Amino acid sequence: MSGIPANRDSFGSRFGVIAATAGSAIGLGNIWRFPYVAGENGGGAFLIIYLGFILLIGIPVMLSEFTIGRSAQRNVFGSFRKLAPGKPWYLIGLMGVGAAFMILAFYTAVAGWTLEYIFQSVINGFEGLSSNQLNDMFYSFIGTPWRPLLWFFVFMALTGAIIMSGVQKGIEKYTKILMPMLLVLLFILVVRSVTLPGAASGISFLFKPDFSKITPTTILEALGQAFFSLSIGMGTLITYGSYIQKNDNLGNTAVSVAFADTFIAILAGLAIFPAVFAFGIEPGSGEGLVYITLPNIFLQMPGGYIFSLMFFILLGVAALTSTISVLEVIVAFFSEELGLKRKAATWLATSSVSILGVMCVLSSSTMADVKIFGFTVFNLMNFTSANILLPLGGFFIVIFVAWFLGRDGAKEELSNQGKLKVRYIPFYMFVIKFLAPLAIAFIFLQGVGLINFS
Ligand code: PHE
């Protein structure tokens, strides 16, 4: 195959691996997507199902991606081609690249909103607004084409600039400092939110399961959210896995990252829902939820100006450490498979994704009436990538490791060629051979209405 440099880039340290991988996992998926999807799907019961999926399906899929990537040392498409030459498994790789296009397009649009909210924080734009006015402010912002478009391109350019400079030097260095800061700020917000008058109904909305709200679609949404939040099912972690050094403990890495990711999602829920109820906002109000609730909280805090500014900056950073991981999937593919230089591959990737991205941005304004299967372009990308492509990708990834690489192949890689004890292998093999694929297939078919067992 063409264009694979002898000295492929890699992560520098074990902490670097965690920072980059957790940086990919932790992002808008936790703080923007999780609260509103949970809100639309009944709260507590959704959370329990979500946690179950992280443990039983998410972590095994993540381990399988690491195994594939680190043993092949290639991009997502090249990995399957190398491990299964002449077989059609590379199609999973192509699907992963397709999912990366879709995710990057709508995700960068939302990341751009974060820049607008940084700007509003700077000019003190929330000052004196009621909760209704904050609501209007959000919808009139996304409803005017040029501003969100501008921010979209700024964010895409930032992502591209980092990717061009390689894997190790930029982001690995900064994520180590910035991610802990995000955690601290989120803590402060949780404290403010849960002490608001009326917070209790928000807490019980998040933690008290009402299973009557659960439908097959809810369960599919929980699965999709688990995949989306962990960055699994499309080869982000195959690509990142290919940069992990051979002496790293993949099992520990997967568990730590999944844990950190889940912890941040729950914290975000605890910051958002009490405020949702305290300010009379609809929990099911969709993708504006965080952008409307948080400014409400900031207005109720001493020092809200500075907290607001810091928070949106860090949210932007969290988004950036995720967008680079998605862009890296495409850039690694273009550079290794088409033999392009990293710079050219980045230009090609960012400009082609931007075509779809612009349509996502305009879905709230000029293209609001353009509907495909009843979805705007934005929602089509958001819904289908998370709830269809990622679970489908995850299904084939575990099948590939379980039935194609097999126990010996997986054990070889996960034990670092016999150097680590991997007592979890029998359990892991059982899960990826039977439990995970059957569960994914069932939830998927039931969720999209192809079978009906209820
Ligand atoms: N996991 C990221 C988040 O939660 C989003 C993402 C999805 C990143 C898929 C890479 C791949 O924000």
Side-chain angles (χ1 to χ4, degrees):
M1 253 161 281
S2 59
I4 296 171
N7 55 341
R8 245 173 134 259
D9 214 345
S10 70
F11 292 124
S13 63
R14 170 158 169 70
F15 191 48
V17 171
I18 301 264
T21 318
S24 169
I26 298 167
L28 296 170
N30 308 59
I31 299 167
W32 163 71
R33 200 176 191 281
F34 172 76
Y36 92 77
V37 175
E40 284 173 343
N41 290 285
F46 178 88
L47 177 63
I48 292 185
I49 299 171
Y50 171 79
L51 293 177
F53 288 159
I54 296 273
L55 274 180
L56 280 180
I57 303 179
I59 295 176
V61 174
M62 191 184 266
L63 259 185
S64 306
E65 290 204 24
F66 283 156
T67 303
I68 295 171
R70 198 175 65 173
S71 48
Q73 310 269 302
R74 292 282 187 284
N75 68 85
V76 58
F77 172 86
S79 284
F80 285 105
R81 276 245 294 228
K82 180 166 171 196
L83 297 176
K87 305 239 162 58
W89 289 102
Y90 65 85
L91 291 172
I92 310 170
L94 284 184
M95 189 169 85
V97 175
F101 262 85
M102 295 170 60
I103 291 177
L104 197 55
F106 84 86
Y107 197 96
T108 309
V110 181
W113 303 348
T114 305
L115 300 180
E116 167 77 12
Y117 274 65
I118 294 174
F119 172 74
Q120 290 299 338
S121 301
V122 171
I123 63 166
N124 212 358
F126 311 127
E127 186 65 21
L129 298 187
S130 67
S131 108
N132 276 340
Q133 287 169 317
L134 287 168
N135 189 69
D136 295 344
M137 177 177 166
F138 174 75
Y139 289 106
S140 68
F141 159 62
I142 63 169
T144 333
W146 73 269
R147 281 179 89 98
L149 269 181
L150 172 77
W151 295 127
F152 169 88
F153 283 114
V154 173
F155 209 95
M156 189 59 91
L158 279 172
T159 308
I162 291 175
I163 285 300
M164 270 184 202
S165 49
V167 182
Q168 207 181 103
K169 297 247 157 56
I171 208 65
E172 190 179 331
K173 198 165 94 198
Y174 292 109
T175 40
K176 290 181 204 165
I177 311 163
L178 293 165
M179 299 310 283
M181 279 176 66
L182 180 75
L183 192 67
V184 172
L185 266 184
L186 206 51
F187 256 124
I188 299 174
L189 285 182
V190 168
V191 171
R192 174 65 279 206
S193 183
V194 299
T195 52
L196 288 166
S201 24
I203 301 175
S204 72
F205 178 77
L206 183 62
F207 290 121
K208 246 172 105 191
D210 172 1
F211 285 102
S212 69
K213 297 265 172 56
I214 295 301
T215 63
T217 330
T218 313
I219 298 176
L220 179 62
E221 287 271 6
L223 184 71
Q225 176 59 25
F227 271 80
F228 187 83
S229 191
L230 293 176
S231 305
I232 55 177
M234 49 159 276
T236 310
L237 299 184
I238 292 180
T239 310
Y240 271 19
S242 76
Y243 305 132
I244 298 180
Q245 286 172 10
K246 287 288 188 189
N247 58 5
D248 210 271
N249 186 332
L250 296 179
N252 281 352
T253 306
V255 173
S256 320
V257 170
F259 187 84
D261 186 68
T262 307
F263 186 60
I264 300 256
I266 293 178
L267 277 186
L270 271 177
I272 307 300
F273 287 114
V276 163
F277 285 84
F279 298 117
I281 298 161
E282 248 318 294
S285 59
E287 69 270 4
L289 192 64
V290 168
Y291 291 88
I292 299 162
T293 337
L294 286 179
N296 265 306
I297 308 183
F298 295 125
L299 288 176
Q300 306 292 317
M301 294 170 75
Y305 177 86
I306 195 77
F307 281 128
S308 160
L309 184 60
M310 283 175 69
F311 180 82
F312 284 115
I313 291 176
L314 290 177
L315 185 59
V317 171
L320 188 61
T321 56
S322 300
T323 50
I324 56 167
S325 72
V326 188
L327 182 59
E328 182 60 27
V329 171
I330 309 174
V331 168
F333 169 71
F334 281 164
S335 63
E336 292 178 355
E337 302 304 323
L338 305 180
L340 294 178
K341 290 249 162 48
R342 197 169 176 81
K343 200 169 164 190
T346 308
W347 273 110
L348 181 62
T350 46
S351 44
S352 46
V353 171
S354 293
I355 300 173
L356 196 57
V358 166
M359 292 195 254
C360 290
V361 174
L362 297 181
S363 292
S364 315
S365 51
T366 31
M367 287 178 63
D369 294 330
V370 179
K371 297 274 170 70
I372 305 159
F373 306 121
F375 290 112
T376 61
V377 178
F378 179 98
N379 282 329
L380 186 71
M381 298 301 127
N382 186 353
F383 182 90
T384 26
S385 63
N387 297 349
I388 296 178
L389 293 182
L390 300 188
L392 216 56
F395 175 85
F396 287 115
I397 285 166
V398 289
I399 296 271
F400 180 77
V401 174
W403 300 100
F404 189 84
L405 289 186
R407 185 194 163 97
D408 292 345
K411 191 169 177 188
E412 176 79 0
E413 195 58 46
L414 289 170
S415 70
N416 298 351
Q417 287 70 42
K419 288 189 218 54
L420 292 177
K421 282 218 174 67
V422 277
R423 279 193 222 97
Y424 59 81
I425 288 281
F427 177 66
Y428 167 67
M429 289 310 294
F430 171 76
V431 171
I432 62 170
K433 269 188 171 163
F434 307 108
L435 187 88
L438 285 175
I440 297 171
F442 181 77
I443 296 162
F444 180 75
L445 295 174
Q446 177 94 8
V448 296
L450 287 178
I451 55 171
N452 190 355
F453 278 106
S454 56

